[in-house]
Amino acid sequence: MDKTDYEYLVIGGGPAGLQMAYFLEKANKDYIVLERDGGVGSFFVRYPRHRKLISINKKFNYFPEKEYNLRHDWNSLLSDEEDLLFTNYTSELFPNADLLVKYMRDYAKKFNLNIRLNTTVTNIHRDPILKGKYRSLYTITEQNGMKYTCKVLLMATGAAMPDKPKIEGAELCDTYQKHSLDKKLYENKKVLILGGGNSAFEVADHISDSAALIHMCTRTPVIFSWDSHFVGDLRAVNNNILDMYHLKSLHALRQCDTKQFVKEEDGRFTQTFEMELPHWNPPGTATFTSKGYDSVILATGWKFINIDMFDESCKPETHTDGKFIVLDEHWETTVPDMFFIGTAMQSRDHKAASGFIHGFRYNIRTLFHMMDMRYDGGDLAKKIFPSIDATELANFMTHHVSISSALYQLGQGFLCDVLVLKPEEAAKSDCSEQMAGVAEYYYELPQAWVLKNDYFMNQAHMIIITIEDSHHMFPSTSATEFFKPGDMNPRDCKCTAFPQGVFYSYRCGKLEEVVHIGGSLVVRADKKIFVGDTNPDRFTNKLKNLFNRQIGIGSGDHYERLFPPEEWEKVYRPWTEEEVEMRKMKEIAMKSRKFECKLGILD
């Protein structure tokens, strides 16, 4: 308790702080975690307000590998303990948040993490260091005036404070953080909810059976997670209010820009808002007022930094109106040796899962390895192959992308694996699948960092491995249309709505080729993925052919089609020219239909 000087100091005892503390503890680093509340995981003691988590807790997934099952366990923290998983606490798909609090407190106790509770940080100061491996000495002051010092500061403060809208009269309204959960208070009332994200819809869903009229107002269109494939967009578990809207059950959603709230003498609210109307004649913007709201609830999200914690010596830069911190390719702020971890990591990632436990747990593991390399001479996580064997490498890579949870959750070019091939200049026999040399396989690196790293970009042969889907290439296709397999082109399977391994081959820093090995519902390339899948070797065959094209190893004629040649004609009948033309005419007719009613200028 008397020690106050540390190498690493973590502010925040939520899931991110605990995850980083686990790696620091395991590596016997000099660290401490400061938590302002009386127990870890305190955010989840209160939030979500209605207690149902929307992070999936899918315990039964058919396949046995722990790594694979973490793809569908969105609440567990990483550890070497096989049984310390959130799925062992409940089998409920969307559990109560109280269980997550219990899990995190068990986790902290199990690993004896060095955490000091009831410690509220009031000020952070930095003095520069001019020599040595560190560039900073941070002084952290807590509420009782006690001071801590550290060389590396890790901010794990999560959703630091509500993001208040800049609307006249907003201070008169209730908020997501403070609104009453007593449904009786909303019975037969007219309620306005400002916001279009999961928090706003969570509130609406909770009171939808008691309120007479609910009007939801959002400045931007609602984005559904099933369309964007981004877990932070509106989830189906929260969107009952839209079901009621379109089934004519009084509740409604309005896309508009709220300008003012006024509380009238009778205690009710009047809203003034602007609405763009491109489909009116002529197109324009209208100003409306809506009266008689018994309650207005602001559910407009969070800021992921409390800038007031930092004095002028170390205020980090922010963006998006102070909502997010500016972070570089390995989550360091504009202030040296200060990193943000946890949900704030989404500052660099609005496509994958960095803002959620099932994403940032892997970012934190990667950041730990990168800090260990930078400050203590450690190495990145990697596997060394003492020779270059096309079959061995292809089998390993195929299996790894089939079970990897990190690449699965943080694909779309955010986290990647890297294969570096270092062949010797020795003679080799023609068509041999082995070559003298070394192969280095690096795990879970930020792709943006790799593409700026001289070591990787100067290699003669490098392959970046990610897991991606290409739903964004179908802009006019509804999510409900993806009920068929994607493109099964043997050489280029990039048009699929299912995630798949994607391999980017570089030569001396120049991108030479991209190989999509093909997607599947279970996202495995090492197993037969459906009845009739008679050529599961096609995935490894694509990689063997890639090795042949890029470094001249092997024959390069491995078969890549879905079915072997002897089965192809039995299971697949190509359309005749007449059938193709009929389908084209049908699609042209659908696209050329003109409708009397529209919502846009060009509709």
Side-chain angles (χ1 to χ4, degrees), residues 384-401:
I384 302 296
F385 294 85
S387 64
I388 299 176
D389 185 307
T391 298
E392 181 184 16
L393 288 172
N395 288 338
F396 171 81
M397 294 164 72
T398 301
H399 178 66
H400 187 65
V401 298

Side-chain angles (χ1 to χ4, degrees), residues 293-313:
Y293 292 108
D294 297 285
S295 178
V296 176
I297 302 172
L298 308 180
T300 50
W302 303 86
K303 285 190 175 182
F304 298 93
I305 180 173
N306 179 1
I307 201 68
D308 294 333
M309 295 176 69
F310 307 89
D311 68 20
E312 293 303 320
S313 68

Side-chain angles (χ1 to χ4, degrees), residues 8-12 14-27 29 31-33 77-78 107 113-114 152-156 330-331 339-342 345 360-372:
Y8 298 91
L9 189 144
V10 182
I11 298 179
L18 298 182
Q19 187 66 87
M20 179 57 79
Y22 168 80
F23 292 116
L24 294 170
E25 178 73 27
K26 183 179 177 182
K29 301 293 187 183
Y31 80 97
I32 192 171
V33 178
L77 298 174
L78 304 178
Y107 185 95
L113 302 179
N114 188 26
V152 181
L153 180 61
L154 295 151
M155 299 295 299
H330 64 313
W331 305 286
F339 301 84
F340 269 73
I341 60 175
M345 286 172 150
F360 66 63
R361 62 191 178 191
Y362 302 109
N363 289 343
I364 289 171
R365 180 166 64 185
T366 294
L367 175 57
F368 169 78
H369 288 302
M370 298 178 86
M371 292 192 307
D372 188 41

Side-chain angles (χ1 to χ4, degrees), residues 227 469-479 482 486-487 494-498:
D227 281 326
D469 64 38
S470 51
H471 72 280
H472 58 281
M473 299 178 67
F474 301 90
S476 61
T477 304
S478 167
F482 285 109
D487 184 2
K494 65 183 179 182
C495 293
T496 175
F498 296 122

Side-chain angles (χ1 to χ4, degrees), residues 232-275:
D233 290 329
L234 180 60
R235 305 285 301 287
V237 69
N238 277 332
N239 70 14
N240 285 332
I241 201 76
L242 289 176
D243 209 35
M244 299 181 74
Y245 173 37
H246 287 290
L247 293 176
K248 303 177 288 295
S249 295
L250 300 182
H251 303 323
L253 188 140
R254 176 190 298 145
Q255 184 182 331
C256 63
D257 188 3
T258 299
K259 297 299 183 181
Q260 183 188 55
F261 290 113
V262 174
K263 194 169 187 179
E264 308 292 354
E265 291 183 1
D266 61 0
R268 293 181 175 181
F269 290 86
T270 297
Q271 176 202 26
T272 301
F273 62 92
E274 291 183 354
M275 183 177 286

